[in-house]
Amino acid sequence: MRLYVNIDHIATVRQARMTDEPDPVRAAVLAELGGADGLTVHLREDRRHIQDRDVDLLMETARTPINLEVAASEDMITLACAWRPAQVTLVPEKREEVTTEGGLALGAESQRGPLAEAIHRLQDVGIRTSLFIDPDEAAIHVSADLGVEAVELHTGEFANTAGAARVAQLARLADAAALARSCGLAAHAGHGLTYQNVAPVAAIPELEELNIGHSIISRAVFVGLERAVSEMAHILRRERPS
Ligand code: PXP
């Protein structure tokens, strides 16, 4: 189980003042020292947090793999192909959303066409590809047909429910992870995971990577980033001793 730490939220604080601190590139060093296996950054089309300069510098300085999240637009795929991060996760993007609200819509040919083209361009330059999808059977089959290496299962509904509804969402994630694996896809997950809710998700044996941001950065405000990351890494190791 790999822990990828999403450092967008550091850039969000910086952009609130349009200044040069806190710097997500410096944060990346602390995340790595705390035990992050990789770093996730989402370059949004409106550049509301991560900037091109951040990705430039991270590509040069990070010691762990970069998972770049982008929409499957022409401009973003051109940038990604130039940067060549280890992995690109294609995500849906709406300007008005506060954060990514759901998985990619894969139902119509008009939605799958641009994704197929983006995946092809990324794979052509050696980038591992992943699709951020809802944990649904149909989305997994379409992802497998599109030829990606991995899917990231959206854990938002799991995170936003409680009691019996959460138990049902956990089962949905476990089924989706198992189906993804049986289709030959690596299974990742993320969104809304916290120190309080992550354990049962981390325990799903077919999952191999979690992307976690907001909860870690929130704790880091109080305990520091290195410690916040190492406390999350500890939970993952407890659930999945290697
Ligand atoms: N995975 C994806 C695709 C995301 O868009 C986000 C949010 O930026 C995350 C994971 C991490 O979510 P959170 O910040 O809620 O941990």
Side-chain angles (χ1 to χ4, degrees), residues 6 8-9 40 42 44 49 69 89 91 99-100 132 152 189-193 211-215:
N6 183 319
D8 296 350
H9 310 277
T40 294
H42 182 175
R44 294 188 75 107
H49 38 59
E69 297 175 350
T89 301
V91 299
T99 181
T100 319
F132 188 49
E152 180 179 343
H191 210 284
L193 296 176
N211 283 286
I212 310 179
H214 186 261
S215 186

mmCIF file of all heavy atoms in Angstrom, residues 6 8-9 40 42 44 49 69 89 91 99-100 132 152 189-193 211-215, ligand 1:
data_model
loop_
_atom_site.group_PDB
_atom_site.id
_atom_site.type_symbol
_atom_site.label_atom_id
_atom_site.label_comp_id
_atom_site.label_asym_id
_atom_site.label_seq_id
_atom_site.Cartn_x
_atom_site.Cartn_y
_atom_site.Cartn_z
ATOM 1 N N ASN A 6 -1.239 14.462 -1.251
ATOM 2 C CA ASN A 6 -1.691 15.535 -2.144
ATOM 3 C C ASN A 6 -1.332 16.888 -1.513
ATOM 4 O O ASN A 6 -1.843 17.240 -0.446
ATOM 5 C CB ASN A 6 -3.200 15.389 -2.345
ATOM 6 C CG ASN A 6 -3.744 16.408 -3.319
ATOM 7 O OD1 ASN A 6 -3.336 17.567 -3.282
ATOM 8 N ND2 ASN A 6 -4.651 15.993 -4.171
ATOM 9 N N ASP A 8 -1.694 19.923 -2.926
ATOM 10 C CA ASP A 8 -2.431 21.082 -3.468
ATOM 11 C C ASP A 8 -2.820 22.070 -2.381
ATOM 12 O O ASP A 8 -2.850 23.280 -2.603
ATOM 13 C CB ASP A 8 -3.769 20.648 -4.101
ATOM 14 C CG ASP A 8 -3.591 19.748 -5.296
ATOM 15 O OD1 ASP A 8 -2.459 19.590 -5.763
ATOM 16 O OD2 ASP A 8 -4.609 19.192 -5.736
ATOM 17 N N HIS A 9 -3.162 21.502 -1.217
ATOM 18 C CA HIS A 9 -3.737 22.344 -0.161
ATOM 19 C C HIS A 9 -2.720 23.340 0.404
ATOM 20 O O HIS A 9 -3.087 24.366 0.949
ATOM 21 C CB HIS A 9 -4.343 21.453 0.935
ATOM 22 C CG HIS A 9 -5.246 20.396 0.355
ATOM 23 N ND1 HIS A 9 -6.555 20.647 0.039
ATOM 24 C CD2 HIS A 9 -5.008 19.118 -0.020
ATOM 25 C CE1 HIS A 9 -7.092 19.548 -0.492
ATOM 26 N NE2 HIS A 9 -6.176 18.608 -0.536
ATOM 27 N N THR A 40 1.128 13.882 -4.955
ATOM 28 C CA THR A 40 0.061 14.126 -5.917
ATOM 29 C C THR A 40 -0.192 15.621 -6.023
ATOM 30 O O THR A 40 -0.280 16.310 -5.004
ATOM 31 C CB THR A 40 -1.230 13.399 -5.471
ATOM 32 O OG1 THR A 40 -0.977 11.988 -5.530
ATOM 33 C CG2 THR A 40 -2.408 13.719 -6.358
ATOM 34 N N HIS A 42 -2.634 18.438 -8.425
ATOM 35 C CA HIS A 42 -3.687 18.624 -9.419
ATOM 36 C C HIS A 42 -3.486 19.998 -10.040
ATOM 37 O O HIS A 42 -3.647 21.012 -9.369
ATOM 38 C CB HIS A 42 -5.053 18.529 -8.713
ATOM 39 C CG HIS A 42 -6.228 18.644 -9.635
ATOM 40 N ND1 HIS A 42 -7.519 18.484 -9.189
ATOM 41 C CD2 HIS A 42 -6.326 18.889 -10.964
ATOM 42 C CE1 HIS A 42 -8.355 18.636 -10.215
ATOM 43 N NE2 HIS A 42 -7.656 18.889 -11.290
ATOM 44 N N ARG A 44 -5.044 22.523 -12.014
ATOM 45 C CA ARG A 44 -6.385 22.859 -12.514
ATOM 46 C C ARG A 44 -6.276 23.896 -13.623
ATOM 47 O O ARG A 44 -5.351 24.703 -13.639
ATOM 48 C CB ARG A 44 -7.260 23.374 -11.369
ATOM 49 C CG ARG A 44 -7.550 22.322 -10.312
ATOM 50 C CD ARG A 44 -8.579 22.821 -9.312
ATOM 51 N NE ARG A 44 -9.899 22.812 -9.874
ATOM 52 C CZ ARG A 44 -10.853 21.932 -9.543
ATOM 53 N NH1 ARG A 44 -10.629 21.003 -8.655
ATOM 54 N NH2 ARG A 44 -12.036 22.007 -10.109
ATOM 55 N N HIS A 49 -4.719 26.571 -7.377
ATOM 56 C CA HIS A 49 -3.724 26.274 -6.322
ATOM 57 C C HIS A 49 -2.355 25.967 -6.951
ATOM 58 O O HIS A 49 -1.497 26.821 -6.971
ATOM 59 C CB HIS A 49 -4.204 25.203 -5.326
ATOM 60 C CG HIS A 49 -4.993 24.066 -5.894
ATOM 61 N ND1 HIS A 49 -4.504 23.239 -6.861
ATOM 62 C CD2 HIS A 49 -6.248 23.617 -5.611
ATOM 63 C CE1 HIS A 49 -5.399 22.319 -7.149
ATOM 64 N NE2 HIS A 49 -6.492 22.526 -6.426
ATOM 65 N N GLU A 69 -2.489 15.090 -11.482
ATOM 66 C CA GLU A 69 -3.913 15.006 -11.825
ATOM 67 C C GLU A 69 -4.238 16.149 -12.776
ATOM 68 O O GLU A 69 -3.958 17.311 -12.464
ATOM 69 C CB GLU A 69 -4.774 15.165 -10.574
ATOM 70 C CG GLU A 69 -4.585 14.084 -9.548
ATOM 71 C CD GLU A 69 -5.388 14.381 -8.294
ATOM 72 O OE1 GLU A 69 -5.932 15.489 -8.148
ATOM 73 O OE2 GLU A 69 -5.450 13.495 -7.451
ATOM 74 N N THR A 89 -3.142 11.002 -13.487
ATOM 75 C CA THR A 89 -4.518 10.583 -13.219
ATOM 76 C C THR A 89 -5.440 11.589 -13.888
ATOM 77 O O THR A 89 -5.378 12.789 -13.609
ATOM 78 C CB THR A 89 -4.792 10.537 -11.698
ATOM 79 O OG1 THR A 89 -3.879 9.613 -11.097
ATOM 80 C CG2 THR A 89 -6.219 10.090 -11.409
ATOM 81 N N VAL A 91 -8.834 13.390 -14.422
ATOM 82 C CA VAL A 91 -9.952 13.708 -13.517
ATOM 83 C C VAL A 91 -10.956 14.607 -14.242
ATOM 84 O O VAL A 91 -10.587 15.334 -15.167
ATOM 85 C CB VAL A 91 -9.447 14.425 -12.237
ATOM 86 C CG1 VAL A 91 -8.490 13.540 -11.453
ATOM 87 C CG2 VAL A 91 -8.771 15.755 -12.565
ATOM 88 N N THR A 99 -14.031 21.154 -4.938
ATOM 89 C CA THR A 99 -13.052 20.088 -5.141
ATOM 90 C C THR A 99 -13.680 19.088 -6.104
ATOM 91 O O THR A 99 -14.869 19.195 -6.413
ATOM 92 C CB THR A 99 -12.672 19.420 -3.798
ATOM 93 O OG1 THR A 99 -11.695 18.404 -4.033
ATOM 94 C CG2 THR A 99 -13.876 18.805 -3.104
ATOM 95 N N THR A 100 -12.899 18.120 -6.572
ATOM 96 C CA THR A 100 -13.428 17.163 -7.551
ATOM 97 C C THR A 100 -14.613 16.409 -6.945
ATOM 98 O O THR A 100 -14.466 15.724 -5.943
ATOM 99 C CB THR A 100 -12.310 16.175 -7.957
ATOM 100 O OG1 THR A 100 -11.106 16.900 -8.116
ATOM 101 C CG2 THR A 100 -12.655 15.470 -9.247
ATOM 102 N N PHE A 132 -9.745 8.594 -12.626
ATOM 103 C CA PHE A 132 -10.476 8.793 -11.364
ATOM 104 C C PHE A 132 -11.950 8.489 -11.644
ATOM 105 O O PHE A 132 -12.608 9.227 -12.390
ATOM 106 C CB PHE A 132 -10.294 10.239 -10.917
ATOM 107 C CG PHE A 132 -10.836 10.551 -9.548
ATOM 108 C CD1 PHE A 132 -10.537 9.763 -8.455
ATOM 109 C CD2 PHE A 132 -11.630 11.681 -9.349
ATOM 110 C CE1 PHE A 132 -11.008 10.072 -7.188
ATOM 111 C CE2 PHE A 132 -12.107 12.005 -8.087
ATOM 112 C CZ PHE A 132 -11.800 11.197 -7.008
ATOM 113 N N GLU A 152 -8.396 5.100 -10.060
ATOM 114 C CA GLU A 152 -8.486 5.612 -8.693
ATOM 115 C C GLU A 152 -9.964 5.682 -8.336
ATOM 116 O O GLU A 152 -10.738 6.405 -8.972
ATOM 117 C CB GLU A 152 -7.850 6.998 -8.567
ATOM 118 C CG GLU A 152 -7.953 7.526 -7.132
ATOM 119 C CD GLU A 152 -7.317 8.898 -6.932
ATOM 120 O OE1 GLU A 152 -6.518 9.339 -7.774
ATOM 121 O OE2 GLU A 152 -7.646 9.529 -5.908
ATOM 122 N N ALA A 189 -7.227 4.591 -4.588
ATOM 123 C CA ALA A 189 -8.447 5.216 -4.055
ATOM 124 C C ALA A 189 -8.093 6.543 -3.422
ATOM 125 O O ALA A 189 -6.944 6.789 -3.040
ATOM 126 C CB ALA A 189 -9.110 4.295 -3.021
ATOM 127 N N GLY A 190 -9.090 7.403 -3.313
ATOM 128 C CA GLY A 190 -8.854 8.668 -2.626
ATOM 129 C C GLY A 190 -10.019 9.614 -2.707
ATOM 130 O O GLY A 190 -10.939 9.432 -3.506
ATOM 131 N N HIS A 191 -9.965 10.595 -1.877
ATOM 132 C CA HIS A 191 -10.879 11.730 -1.726
ATOM 133 C C HIS A 191 -11.648 11.623 -0.410
ATOM 134 O O HIS A 191 -12.363 10.666 -0.177
ATOM 135 C CB HIS A 191 -11.885 11.866 -2.877
ATOM 136 C CG HIS A 191 -12.270 13.311 -3.082
ATOM 137 N ND1 HIS A 191 -13.131 13.957 -2.243
ATOM 138 C CD2 HIS A 191 -11.858 14.228 -3.989
ATOM 139 C CE1 HIS A 191 -13.244 15.214 -2.646
ATOM 140 N NE2 HIS A 191 -12.480 15.410 -3.698
ATOM 141 N N GLY A 192 -11.414 12.604 0.436
ATOM 142 C CA GLY A 192 -12.142 12.662 1.706
ATOM 143 C C GLY A 192 -11.651 11.673 2.753
ATOM 144 O O GLY A 192 -12.311 11.496 3.783
ATOM 145 N N LEU A 193 -10.520 11.034 2.525
ATOM 146 C CA LEU A 193 -10.017 10.078 3.531
ATOM 147 C C LEU A 193 -9.339 10.856 4.661
ATOM 148 O O LEU A 193 -8.650 11.847 4.424
ATOM 149 C CB LEU A 193 -9.039 9.091 2.880
ATOM 150 C CG LEU A 193 -9.677 8.183 1.811
ATOM 151 C CD1 LEU A 193 -8.616 7.305 1.140
ATOM 152 C CD2 LEU A 193 -10.788 7.317 2.418
ATOM 153 N N ASN A 211 -4.515 8.248 -2.226
ATOM 154 C CA ASN A 211 -4.168 9.662 -2.409
ATOM 155 C C ASN A 211 -4.904 10.458 -1.339
ATOM 156 O O ASN A 211 -6.132 10.491 -1.342
ATOM 157 C CB ASN A 211 -4.618 10.135 -3.797
ATOM 158 C CG ASN A 211 -3.674 9.647 -4.865
ATOM 159 O OD1 ASN A 211 -2.574 10.162 -4.994
ATOM 160 N ND2 ASN A 211 -4.080 8.643 -5.603
ATOM 161 N N ILE A 212 -4.132 11.076 -0.455
ATOM 162 C CA ILE A 212 -4.754 11.772 0.668
ATOM 163 C C ILE A 212 -4.135 13.158 0.803
ATOM 164 O O ILE A 212 -2.903 13.308 0.795
ATOM 165 C CB ILE A 212 -4.577 10.991 1.994
ATOM 166 C CG1 ILE A 212 -5.004 9.522 1.800
ATOM 167 C CG2 ILE A 212 -5.380 11.643 3.117
ATOM 168 C CD1 ILE A 212 -4.861 8.656 3.037
ATOM 169 N N GLY A 213 -5.000 14.181 0.922
ATOM 170 C CA GLY A 213 -4.488 15.536 1.014
ATOM 171 C C GLY A 213 -5.030 16.332 2.186
ATOM 172 O O GLY A 213 -4.320 16.601 3.163
ATOM 173 N N HIS A 214 -6.298 16.689 2.116
ATOM 174 C CA HIS A 214 -6.843 17.689 3.022
ATOM 175 C C HIS A 214 -6.644 17.337 4.496
ATOM 176 O O HIS A 214 -6.250 18.188 5.304
ATOM 177 C CB HIS A 214 -8.332 17.903 2.724
ATOM 178 C CG HIS A 214 -8.930 19.014 3.499
ATOM 179 N ND1 HIS A 214 -9.662 18.819 4.647
ATOM 180 C CD2 HIS A 214 -8.859 20.356 3.325
ATOM 181 C CE1 HIS A 214 -10.026 19.990 5.120
ATOM 182 N NE2 HIS A 214 -9.560 20.934 4.346
ATOM 183 N N SER A 215 -6.892 16.088 4.846
ATOM 184 C CA SER A 215 -6.802 15.701 6.257
ATOM 185 C C SER A 215 -5.350 15.795 6.760
ATOM 186 O O SER A 215 -5.088 16.256 7.880
ATOM 187 C CB SER A 215 -7.342 14.278 6.415
ATOM 188 O OG SER A 215 -7.399 13.927 7.759
HETATM 189 N N1 PXP B 1 -7.790 12.072 -5.537
HETATM 190 C C1 PXP B 1 -8.284 13.009 -6.407
HETATM 191 C C2 PXP B 1 -8.486 12.600 -7.825
HETATM 192 C C3 PXP B 1 -8.560 14.313 -5.979
HETATM 193 O O1 PXP B 1 -9.029 15.218 -6.855
HETATM 194 C C4 PXP B 1 -8.310 14.660 -4.635
HETATM 195 C C5 PXP B 1 -8.568 16.054 -4.166
HETATM 196 O O2 PXP B 1 -7.689 16.950 -4.714
HETATM 197 C C6 PXP B 1 -7.786 13.671 -3.784
HETATM 198 C C7 PXP B 1 -7.566 12.386 -4.255
HETATM 199 C C8 PXP B 1 -7.458 13.952 -2.355
HETATM 200 O O3 PXP B 1 -8.624 14.305 -1.670
HETATM 201 P P1 PXP B 1 -8.511 14.908 -0.214
HETATM 202 O O4 PXP B 1 -7.824 16.217 -0.331
HETATM 203 O O5 PXP B 1 -9.953 15.017 0.195
HETATM 204 O O6 PXP B 1 -7.735 13.946 0.617
#
